[in-house]
Amino acid sequence: VIPVEVTLAHLADELPPAEQWAKAAGWQLQLDADELVLEAATIHPVDHQPLLLLAGVDSYRALPPSWRFADPETKIATPRATPSRESVHGAASVIYGVGVICAHFSRTAYKGYDPGAPHDWGGMLSWESVSEGVQAHVLAEMLAVIDQHLRFSKGRLG
Amino acid sequence: VNEQQHPENHPDHAELHVEVVPTGSVTPTPFTFERTMLVARAAAEAAERLKYRAKVPGFQTENDHQLPENETLERAGVRDGEVLVLIDTAGGV
């Protein structure tokens, strides 16, 4: 846990380039600075219906964001809100399942966040040094990786 | 066949001038590569120079076409002036 002011300073550094990327890539970003939740909205590449990617950014960058797709209205992760997981040029997608983005830069991949999550990786505090899988170390890179993998999704989980 | 029609026989034509944009960025950086350089090697060079921390650096076009890593840039169809997006081709886990 780190002071809110430190997290906000990191976000002040990383959000402007992330917003530049988002604008070019068809995403809309919005930070709730009180709740420390980042909302990233786009549309599904196949059904063209809204998608909402949420990330708790409390204690960022000590902890990675808690990326997950959620219902745009209820903000709850559901199968319907989650894009289907498809191979990305033969590699696994980071879009893992309901409520989980499975990559070192996503808190939802760690057992320390959810005991049912896939990985330990030495704990969430080690996220920047985890070398397994696709790499992303700032918000814009994380969003771009998720977007890259989303483009292979053919539908929804439910 | 006129030898000068082959790009590799003409010093000025042996190179490709491209713009590289790391994924997550909107800022291109000019790069010059040999046409005969493998895609994987060129991507690794770009990643190192741009300090882009990819596990497996690769390129894709602006139309999301991923270039084959073991082809030369020329055989992969890269054209002079093209914008290449530098990506990490490693997958989720």
Side-chain angles (χ1 to χ4, degrees):
Chain A
V1 177
I2 61 173
V4 171
E5 294 76 17
V6 175
T7 291
L8 290 174
H10 287 307
L11 295 173
D13 285 342
E14 293 191 24
L15 270 179
E19 285 167 340
Q20 275 191 311
W21 172 86
K23 185 176 179 183
W27 289 73
Q28 290 182 315
L29 304 187
Q30 186 171 342
L31 174 68
D32 182 332
D34 295 325
E35 297 294 328
L36 289 175
V37 172
L38 180 63
E39 296 190 3
T42 189
I43 58 170
H44 192 282
V46 174
D47 66 27
H48 304 294
Q49 294 302 302
L51 283 172
L52 180 64
L53 183 64
L54 291 182
V57 288
D58 50 294
S59 293
Y60 186 67
R61 296 182 46 98
L63 299 178
S66 57
W67 297 108
R68 75 275 192 192
F69 283 97
D71 184 283
E73 299 298 326
T74 66
K75 311 289 174 71
I76 295 171
T78 66
R80 179 68 190 152
T82 308
S84 63
R85 187 183 202 220
E86 313 289 348
S87 170
V88 180
H89 293 297
S93 174
V94 298
I95 302 170
Y96 185 83
V98 177
V100 180
I101 295 294
C102 201
H104 79 98
F105 58 81
S106 174
R107 203 182 306 178
T108 56
Y110 290 80
K111 292 186 185 298
Y113 175 78
D114 179 346
H119 297 284
D120 182 29
W121 280 328
M124 294 184 289
L125 291 168
S126 303
W127 74 276
E128 286 213 79
S129 60
V130 174
S131 61
E132 190 178 351
V134 63
Q135 297 290 296
H137 294 270
V138 292
L139 293 173
E141 292 177 357
M142 299 173 197
L143 283 162
V145 166
I146 295 169
D147 177 70
Q148 180 191 346
H149 290 206
L150 171 63
R151 289 169 191 244
F152 289 82
S153 178
K154 297 173 182 171
R156 309 223 176 198
L157 287 182
Chain B
V1 178
N2 183 343
E3 285 188 356
Q4 292 193 350
Q5 288 178 351
H6 293 280
E8 63 271 23
N9 293 333
H10 192 297
D12 293 341
H13 294 174
E15 295 177 336
L16 275 169
H17 304 279
V18 297
E19 302 281 334
V20 175
V21 184
T23 191
S25 171
V26 295
T27 306
T29 299
F31 274 82
T32 300
F33 297 118
E34 298 291 327
R35 289 178 183 272
T36 55
M37 183 180 280
L38 291 177
V39 167
R41 185 177 163 202
E45 280 193 16
E48 183 174 0
R49 186 169 137 197
L50 297 175
K51 302 188 188 310
Y52 175 68
R53 289 179 283 178
K55 186 174 182 69
V56 185
F59 283 133
Q60 69 179 28
T61 67
E62 288 189 297
N63 296 326
D64 299 332
H65 170 65
Q66 187 171 316
L67 303 186
E69 62 181 2
N70 291 321
E71 288 285 9
T72 65
L73 293 168
E74 184 171 45
R75 287 179 63 88
V78 178
R79 300 181 308 278
D80 241 354
E82 188 163 356
V83 175
L84 298 177
V85 181
L86 179 61
I87 61 171
D88 188 346
T89 64
V93 286

